[in-house]
Amino acid sequence: MLDPNLLRQQPAEVAARLHATRGFALDADALASLEAERKMVQVRTQELQSQRNKLSGEIGKRKSKGEDVAELMAQVSASGDEQKRGEARLDEIKAEIEAVALAIPNLPHDSVPLGADEAGNVEQHRWGAPREFDFAVKDHVELGARHGWLDAETAAKLSGARFTVLRGGLARLHRALAQFMLDLHVEQHEYQETSVPLLVNADSMRGTGQLPKFEDDLFATVVGEGEAASKRYLIPTSEVPLTNVVRDEIVEDAALPLRMTAHSMCFRAEAGSAGRDTRGMIRQHQFEKVELVAISRPQESYAEHERMTRCAEVVLETLGLPYRRMLLCTGDMGFAAAKTYDLEVWLPSENRYREISSCSNCESFQARRMQARWRNPASGKPEPVHTLNGSGVAIGRAMIAVMENYQNADGSIAVPEALRRYMGGIEVLA
């Protein structure tokens, strides 16, 4: 959520920036009209309360003298009725303003390039040279099908499209990647390993920006019955529970930065991706990811952003996977992000780079939605923290990249050296 003071004081300027950078149409006039009405109603309700206080005092004085107070009592009653109507309208106006504010995306950082879509993204650097093969390259589906290790047909029977059953060596490779990433981030990158719920409430989804805008992309279930029933959402990423750890909290300065990592299942309905990446494991309803989340002092968040992105890069470099870093343009960034780097790994079967990690600085956008604050020692007052999140990295896509980049002519797959201790010393999946 954007700073409410910014929306109140500069609605036209904010609307112009959102249109120029995000292509988002904010009705500044309607917002200004709501804000003007809010001020008017709030002032009137305060006047009515003050008036009632005076009348109540006068009633007390007259009663002590034995005087008639019927007329004053009638005035208090009328004033009270008007005040109740004003307070009800004030609640309605605040709800309308909040609904508008919750739908507004974050403002991009000044360093983010302008662009309408991924064509406007800017490459920052590359690492590693794509391997040159002297045989026909197979994709991960062909490689995984040899021993029934990657089985989409059985998964479709069990659950439908966009699910996969893994067996044997691939199931073990998938597990090894998760363990490797967690150990790397905990032991070398100083993130605290955290195990989080896979089901969260609506407040948690609203806090990180998935609700209300992206409800169609979420899987949900209902807990309880009747009036006690409530929705719980399957997490699309462990960013949601990790970031919401500080919801409604005031974090002491000495505790910052908070760095957390979690390996979790992730669930996405992929409502807007019909027909895209239907082959194999590129785009699934259920997948696993090692997530990185940082809660930072505002003045340190961009240094933390660079650090987080570098931590994800080290995963790919340690695995020997060629990649490139992309700075996303304004039109390709996520709803809550102020600045995002994508890491794209080389996939030989597609002869191109594909996203495997996305690292974003959300500044105070999520913190304002969550009421997550830190106590600034300079002022002694609570202020919004900055929140950051990144994939460290997507496990399924890392497995695909290992399979394709480490494949041999006979269809076997060499195990990267960094993973062998997690694979019982196995050097080749054959």
Side-chain angles (χ1 to χ4, degrees):
M1 184 180 292
L2 298 181
D3 185 345
N5 291 325
L6 194 63
L7 291 173
R8 289 187 191 116
Q9 297 166 12
Q10 303 176 43
E13 292 85 345
V14 171
R17 284 183 64 191
L18 287 168
H19 184 266
T21 59
R22 293 280 203 166
F24 181 85
L26 173 64
D27 191 337
D29 291 339
L31 189 60
S33 176
L34 282 171
E35 180 58 28
E37 186 181 359
R38 182 196 67 80
K39 288 180 181 178
M40 181 183 69
V41 175
Q42 186 165 305
V43 168
R44 179 56 181 161
T45 55
Q46 290 170 347
E47 289 175 347
L48 289 167
Q49 182 61 53
S50 177
Q51 184 183 80
R52 291 185 72 199
N53 291 341
K54 290 179 181 178
L55 287 171
S56 296
E58 185 62 26
I59 288 170
K61 290 178 184 178
R62 292 195 182 186
K63 278 186 175 181
S64 65
K65 296 176 183 179
E67 297 177 2
D68 181 30
V69 295
E71 184 179 344
L72 291 179
M73 292 289 287
Q75 291 180 38
V76 167
S77 177
S79 179
D81 291 342
E82 185 181 352
Q83 184 178 345
K84 286 179 182 178
R85 290 193 297 272
E87 289 171 346
R89 177 55 186 154
L90 191 60
D91 288 342
E92 291 174 358
I93 296 168
K94 287 179 178 178
E96 290 178 43
I97 292 174
E98 182 180 32
V100 172
L102 286 173
I104 299 173
N106 203 355
L107 289 167
H109 188 264
D110 290 341
S111 63
V112 175
L114 285 173
D117 52 36
E118 62 183 17
N121 297 341
V122 178
E123 184 175 318
Q124 302 291 287
H125 63 250
R126 296 188 182 196
W127 183 92
R131 176 183 168 190
E132 294 184 6
F133 293 85
D134 57 4
F135 57 87
V137 170
K138 298 178 177 65
D139 69 9
H140 71 282
V141 178
E142 294 175 281
L143 292 165
R146 296 185 69 213
H147 304 289
W149 285 354
L150 192 157
D151 187 350
E153 290 185 8
T154 299
K157 178 178 72 174
L158 299 174
S159 305
R162 296 187 189 270
F163 291 90
T164 302
V165 169
L166 294 179
R167 299 188 184 94
L170 279 192
R172 188 167 187 177
L173 178 64
H174 191 270
R175 173 164 55 90
L177 281 161
Q179 291 175 300
F180 155 71
M181 292 176 201
L182 278 177
D183 284 351
L184 181 67
H185 294 314
V186 171
E187 295 169 8
Q188 296 186 30
H189 299 155
E190 299 177 347
Y191 285 83
Q192 182 183 54
E193 184 172 354
T194 311
S195 180
V196 294
L198 301 183
L199 282 171
V200 297
N201 55 32
D203 286 342
S204 295
M205 286 294 191
R206 192 175 297 109
T208 44
Q210 279 76 22
L211 290 178
K213 185 174 176 61
F214 301 105
E215 183 152 14
D216 289 345
D217 289 324
L218 304 173
F219 287 110
T221 185
V222 176
V223 178
E225 298 179 355
E227 294 183 1
S230 62
K231 260 189 177 182
R232 295 290 187 275
Y233 294 87
L234 287 163
I235 62 171
T237 162
S238 53
E239 168 205 343
V240 177
L242 287 174
T243 308
N244 274 275
V245 164
V246 295
R247 190 177 80 229
D248 297 322
E249 300 284 340
I250 298 176
V251 183
E252 293 302 323
D253 177 70
L256 297 176
L258 288 174
R259 298 185 182 120
M260 298 170 280
T261 184
H263 164 220
S264 76
M265 294 280 189
C266 305
F267 304 88
R268 296 184 185 177
E270 298 287 357
S273 64
R276 295 172 58 197
D277 296 314
T278 56
R279 180 175 168 81
M281 289 182 63
I282 290 289
R283 195 178 298 275
Q284 300 271 279
H285 288 313
Q286 173 187 308
F287 59 97
E288 294 180 42
K289 185 152 64 87
V290 171
E291 186 73 4
L292 305 175
V293 162
I295 311 299
S296 168
R297 301 177 186 92
Q299 66 270 25
E300 297 171 354
S301 68
Y302 278 95
E304 191 68 28
H305 187 212
E306 295 293 331
R307 182 189 189 280
M308 177 180 285
T309 307
R310 181 62 195 145
C311 290
E313 289 177 338
V314 170
V315 172
L316 302 178
E317 291 175 15
T318 307
L319 292 172
L321 297 173
Y323 71 88
R324 65 179 183 176
R325 182 198 285 200
M326 304 293 291
L327 172 60
L328 298 196
C329 69
T330 54
D332 200 33
M333 285 198 310
F335 177 79
K339 184 175 183 177
T340 299
Y341 291 120
D342 269 7
L343 302 184
E344 299 179 347
V345 70
W346 179 257
L347 293 188
S349 69
E350 299 187 18
N351 199 39
R352 62 170 173 153
Y353 292 94
R354 294 298 302 266
E355 180 201 337
I356 194 170
S357 172
S358 189
C359 298
S360 298
N361 186 352
C362 299
E363 296 187 354
S364 60
F365 186 84
Q366 292 176 326
R368 292 185 188 280
R369 298 168 78 104
M370 297 187 300
Q371 287 297 297
R373 295 165 291 170
W374 68 298
R375 197 174 301 281
N376 188 339
S379 64
K381 296 179 180 179
E383 300 175 11
V385 294
H386 279 195
T387 63
L388 304 94
N389 65 81
S391 308
V393 296
I395 298 169
R397 293 196 179 190
M399 187 186 73
I400 291 169
V402 167
M403 291 171 68
E404 295 196 4
N405 283 280
Y406 282 87
Q407 64 179 289
N408 299 312
D410 63 358
S412 64
I413 301 163
V415 176
E417 186 174 347
L419 297 180
R420 290 175 188 172
R421 71 185 181 101
Y422 300 96
M423 296 284 292
I426 294 173
E427 297 184 5
V428 178
L429 293 179

